[in-house]
Amino acid sequence: MLTLDWNLLWMIINLIVLYVLVKRFFFKPVLSMIENRQNEIQAQLDHAAEVEKNAEAKKEEYEKACEGAREEANQTINMAREQAEAVRNDILLKAGEEAEAIRQQAKKDVLEEHEKMLSDLRTEVAGLAMEAACKVIGNSVNEEHNREVMNAFLKEKGV
């Protein structure tokens, strides 16, 4: 059994030496590489989180700018509508005033034309009446005298 015990002892010593060597030359570099890799991954994750945070901030800034632009566009559109409505109302008012002025002028012109036609008609009727009266009487009076008589007659009748 002594041989076994020595073998066992050598085996334990070999295992300890092997463990120390593996730990020293294999585990330390591998653990170091794993730790470095974990640090790199964490740095990349931190960087990605920062980039995402910046992107979110820029997105919010962009949305605020878009909202401001929309609001400004809506205000501009509303102002343009109000101005267009004011111009439309002004045009309608001026058109109404012009139409009323044209209507009044037309009414005045019609009345003047009517008065002129009545005056011409009176003159013509009086002239015809004088001619008829002259033919009936057979008396020829000068034209100026006839006009005086005709105007006096018209004034007397209120025509």
Side-chain angles (χ1 to χ4, degrees), residues 62-75:
Y62 171 75
E63 287 176 354
K64 285 180 184 177
C66 285
E67 184 62 34
R70 275 189 216 107
E71 186 66 32
E72 187 177 330
N74 286 336
Q75 287 176 353

Side-chain angles (χ1 to χ4, degrees), residues 6-65:
W6 280 103
N7 278 337
L8 183 62
L9 182 65
W10 281 111
M11 197 184 282
I12 291 175
I13 292 174
N14 280 335
L15 280 175
I16 292 174
V17 169
L18 181 65
Y19 175 74
V20 169
L21 288 175
V22 167
K23 184 178 178 184
R24 170 93 177 162
F25 295 109
F26 182 70
F27 285 143
K28 271 192 178 180
V30 168
L31 289 176
S32 176
M33 285 175 34
I34 289 173
E35 186 179 335
N36 287 341
R37 183 66 182 145
Q38 283 178 338
N39 290 339
E40 287 176 18
I41 290 171
Q42 188 60 44
Q44 289 176 351
L45 288 175
D46 292 343
H47 179 69
E50 185 179 330
V51 167
E52 184 179 4
K53 182 180 171 184
N54 288 341
E56 188 66 34
K58 285 186 180 188
K59 179 183 174 188
E60 288 178 15
E61 182 180 318
Y62 171 75
E63 287 176 354
K64 285 180 184 177

Side-chain angles (χ1 to χ4, degrees), residues 122 126 149-159:
R122 286 183 189 131
V149 171
M150 178 181 62
N151 286 335
F153 174 75
L154 289 174
K155 283 182 183 177
E156 182 182 307
K157 293 300 179 183
V159 179

Side-chain angles (χ1 to χ4, degrees), residues 101-117:
I102 290 170
R103 197 173 337 176
Q104 292 296 328
Q105 185 62 37
K107 197 178 202 181
K108 181 180 171 186
D109 291 346
V110 166
L111 286 175
E112 287 176 1
E113 188 66 30
H114 180 70
E115 289 297 322
K116 184 178 181 232
M117 284 176 50

